[in-house]
Amino acid sequence: MPEALQTSKLSSTLKWTFILSLVLCIFSLAGFAFTHHADGNGGFHRSGWQQNGTGGTEGFRSEPSRWNPDEFSRAFLGASGFGETNGGQESRGSSGGRLRPGDGRGFEGGGLGSMGGGRMSQIPLAEPIALAAYTALAAVLIGIGWRRLRSAQPALLAWDSGEGEAANRRHSGRSTLWLMLGSALLLRIALVPWTTGHNGDMNYFRSWATSAAQDFSGFYVHGSADYPPLLIYFLYLIGRAASLPGMEIFFNTMIKLPSLLADVITGYLIYRLASRHVSTRLGFILAAFYAACPAVLVDSAFWGQVDSFFTLLIVLAVLLITEGRLTWSAALFAAAVMMKPQGIIFAPVLFFEWVRLRSVKKAAAGMLTAAAVVVLLILPFSSGQDPLWIVKLFQRTIGEYPYASVNADNFFSLIGANHKDSSSVFILFSYQTWGWIFIVLTTAYSWLIYSRIRSREAAFLAALFQIAGVFTFSTSMHERYLFPAVALAICAYLYFKDKRLLGVAAGFSFTVFANTFSVLYGATGRTGTPSYTYSLMFVSLINVLLVLWLAVIMWQLAFRTSRE
């Protein structure tokens, strides 16, 4: 079939897909508003089931119910093992504290529902079944696409030949891209009102959004949030919007919306990079892969976490390194750290580039810019606070889960240390000490490869190894911390054009999805069962092998680059 005809058919198909997605989105929101009507007292009625509390305290309800932010600490953080002392178990509640498992195979007492321990969360069975079916279909399609990509001739991927023709194709490609990404966003928005989300995180986000809307500057003074300030700015806007008449029923949807937008923007950045370094056709394929990837979908649309937004900040920061705009990169890295503390994992990549350039001036400018961003973000919350309040917040957050692994399918879970105290001894040293050793080794190897390649284009490769290595071999890792690896692996491929990096991206897509899915839908609450043990061991082993494979690929790429 002629190439122009193929493009025309694709564009026409996507136009109809966009229109149908828009109609579906409108009907979905209208239907949700009709079935979840406001009760006039600051809450809303649900005509169907309700997920309530943690640890299965009440399970499903058929009668109308109302969520009240003022009752959050008592109804959600109270009984059944999450906010109060339960049978001598230390739990994380409004005063901070931390979760303490009993035997490393789950949490004592009541359980945590979908919080990563205890009994399985009360979520309609259709939700995980539908997601699993979608994932199976996506895996088949990705497999077919991978086989075609591997067998494709270079010319097949190169649309951009001939200036006039290339310009027309780029314009057509952008139109097609926005139709695809727009459809992906609309379908996400249509989906999220009907998904439960992670019970604990969604309740926290709703509570924090309400508190921020009521008292923004005093948020950290009167509250106990463990997230840095950047997220609170978004939650403030969401809390204000949710207070408008008729909008409270879309509270969960609005909480998820920034991550849904971040998914689409990250897909666009992948397209731009691919168009610049490979071809617009491959850019469209990879952007579509990311937008439809089950690992991405389960985190943002189903779980309701903000890892997608965090990943967007990291991708932008690393992209700016590759473009030589280091001051702006430092600003975005600082913003990422102010959103999630694990942004610190990526900071060495910027340091590598400063060292490569041997520019004290650029390093000083970057550090001053990063400091300015931090000060600007924390300043509105600093009234009446200790001067070092942000440092104490980070210390409390980082020390909140002192375990070898916190449901992360990694090396420590592979050796049976999931939820084991990180101070426990394992071959001469404690788990925590081994974690620090592995962090140093990971960073040293990233620096070695970066210095051998001697190009800022290695930034994505180094960032990928940082998150993959730290997640797999460090302590206190959660199941979602590997999430940025999918986008970073795709971007690394676009610079080095080694198809094995696409294999790494596909591998991490599988492990991120499997790990997130199992925790979200209650697998961690079955930690004493063989099914959970086998799946944890299997996915953990794959992650370990993927990191080792990535290390080999990086070494070979560095050797090849140094020879060239």
Side-chain angles (χ1 to χ4, degrees):
M1 183 181 295
E3 196 173 280
L5 183 59
Q6 286 183 330
T7 304
S8 176
K9 281 194 170 185
L10 176 62
S11 179
S12 177
T13 301
L14 286 174
K15 284 178 183 177
W16 281 108
T17 302
F18 180 83
I19 293 171
L20 291 175
S21 300
L22 179 60
V23 172
L24 179 61
C25 182
I26 293 171
F27 273 93
S28 174
L29 295 176
F32 188 81
F34 179 76
T35 56
H36 296 67
H37 56 280
D39 65 6
N41 294 309
F44 59 89
H45 292 291
R46 293 184 174 184
S47 58
W49 56 269
Q50 178 196 0
Q51 185 183 14
N52 187 31
T54 55
T57 54
E58 293 188 46
F60 293 96
R61 281 187 176 181
S62 57
E63 71 274 10
S65 59
R66 184 169 65 90
W67 179 77
N68 186 349
D70 296 331
E71 298 295 321
F72 175 76
S73 60
R74 182 157 47 93
F76 175 69
L77 296 180
S80 290
F82 191 66
E84 301 172 347
T85 301
N86 186 11
Q89 174 187 352
E90 184 180 350
S91 307
R92 172 185 163 196
S94 59
S95 60
R98 53 193 194 202
L99 298 168
R100 176 166 295 171
D103 59 0
R105 298 180 305 162
F107 287 82
E108 298 174 338
L112 301 181
S114 64
M115 286 302 298
R119 291 193 290 268
M120 185 173 180
S121 59
Q122 303 298 328
I123 294 177
L125 189 60
E127 187 174 312
I129 290 177
L131 180 56
Y134 167 80
T135 303
L137 176 62
V140 172
L141 294 177
I142 290 170
I144 294 173
W146 172 248
R147 288 188 61 185
R148 293 191 64 178
L149 182 62
R150 289 192 64 182
S151 60
Q153 298 297 322
L156 183 63
L157 299 177
W159 276 0
D160 306 330
S161 57
E163 292 185 6
E165 187 179 2
N168 291 333
R169 283 173 175 167
R170 281 195 296 269
H171 177 74
S172 175
R174 281 195 295 268
S175 300
T176 304
L177 173 78
W178 285 116
L179 286 172
M180 184 272 291
L181 292 179
S183 299
L185 178 61
L186 290 171
L187 289 173
R188 279 168 159 79
I189 295 174
L191 172 69
V192 294
W194 306 95
T195 58
T196 307
H198 188 280
N199 192 29
D201 285 348
M202 295 306 294
N203 275 304
Y204 271 123
F205 292 156
R206 282 195 300 264
S207 177
W208 294 347
T210 304
S211 298
Q214 294 172 350
D215 184 11
F216 182 71
S217 61
F219 178 81
Y220 286 101
V221 176
H222 306 297
S224 60
D226 57 358
Y227 270 56
L230 182 57
L231 176 63
I232 309 307
Y233 285 88
F234 291 95
L235 291 180
Y236 165 77
L237 296 175
I238 292 168
R240 296 289 293 179
S243 66
L244 297 174
M247 292 301 294
E248 187 181 6
I249 56 175
F250 296 113
F251 212 150
N252 281 8
T253 302
M254 289 187 288
I255 287 173
K256 294 179 180 181
L257 186 58
S259 292
L260 305 184
L261 290 169
D263 290 342
V264 171
I265 296 172
T266 304
Y268 172 72
L269 290 176
I270 290 172
Y271 171 82
R272 276 196 60 188
L273 278 175
S275 299
R276 184 186 307 169
H277 295 283
V278 186
S279 72
T280 54
R281 175 178 291 184
L282 184 61
F284 182 87
I285 293 171
L286 293 178
F289 164 78
Y290 189 81
C293 181
V296 176
L297 196 67
V298 70
D299 189 283
S300 58
F302 284 83
W303 186 303
Q305 252 293 344
V306 294
D307 299 293
S308 291
F309 199 93
F310 172 76
T311 297
L312 174 61
L313 292 175
I314 295 299
V315 169
L316 282 171
V318 178
L319 176 60
L320 289 171
I321 292 177
T322 66
E323 295 178 348
R325 301 158 69 182
L326 302 186
T327 303
W328 285 104
S329 177
L332 283 174
F333 273 126
V337 173
M338 286 293 103
M339 185 158 198
K340 279 178 170 284
Q342 55 264 39
I344 299 170
I345 295 171
F346 300 94
V349 181
L350 182 57
F351 171 77
F352 299 160
E353 181 62 11
W354 285 337
V355 172
R356 188 187 73 85
L357 295 175
R358 299 179 181 178
S359 174
V360 176
K361 182 179 178 180
K362 289 186 177 182
M367 287 186 282
L368 287 174
T369 301
V373 170
V374 171
V375 170
L376 287 174
L377 288 174
I378 69 174
L379 196 59
F381 304 101
S382 298
S383 178
Q385 291 269 53
D386 183 284
L388 298 177
W389 72 270
I390 189 66
V391 177
K392 294 178 180 179
L393 174 68
F394 273 85
Q395 288 175 338
R396 186 171 73 245
T397 301
I398 293 172
E400 200 166 30
Y401 300 97
Y403 309 117
S405 174
V406 190
N407 304 325
D409 290 350
N410 61 9
F411 171 75
F412 289 107
S413 289
L414 182 63
I415 62 174
N418 189 30
H419 286 303
K420 280 192 176 180
D421 196 305
S422 58
S423 62
S424 301
V425 176
F426 173 71
I427 309 179
L428 300 179
F429 304 115
S430 66
Y431 289 111
Q432 185 177 41
T433 301
W434 278 115
W436 280 110
I437 291 172
F438 283 128
I439 288 176
V440 172
L441 292 176
T442 297
T443 305
Y445 189 75
S446 297
W447 193 0
L448 173 64
I449 298 301
Y450 199 94
S451 61
R452 285 183 65 93
I453 293 177
R454 296 193 298 274
S455 170
R456 62 194 184 198
E457 292 187 349
F460 275 110
L461 197 61
L464 170 61
F465 193 73
Q466 282 295 114
I467 189 59
V470 171
F471 172 86
T472 305
F473 292 104
S474 187
T475 57
S476 301
M477 293 291 113
H478 286 249
E479 64 287 326
R480 295 171 290 98
Y481 286 6
L482 188 59
F483 182 87
V486 179
L488 293 173
I490 294 173
C491 292
Y493 161 76
L494 296 174
Y495 283 92
F496 290 93
K497 302 174 183 64
D498 189 316
K499 291 180 182 177
R500 292 176 297 176
L501 290 172
L502 289 181
V504 171
F508 282 138
S509 297
F510 167 73
T511 59
V512 169
F513 173 81
N515 202 170
T516 307
F517 184 94
S518 67
V519 175
L520 176 59
Y521 294 113
T524 313
R526 300 180 270 99
T527 49
T529 65
S531 62
Y532 174 74
T533 301
Y534 294 150
S535 65
L536 179 146
M537 294 293 181
F538 177 67
V539 178
S540 297
L541 178 60
I542 292 178
N543 274 328
V544 171
L545 294 176
L546 282 171
V547 172
L548 296 177
W549 186 33
L550 176 60
V552 171
I553 294 171
M554 291 172 65
W555 181 264
Q556 292 174 347
L557 289 174
F559 182 75
R560 184 185 72 187
T561 305
S562 62
R563 287 179 55 187
E564 293 174 353

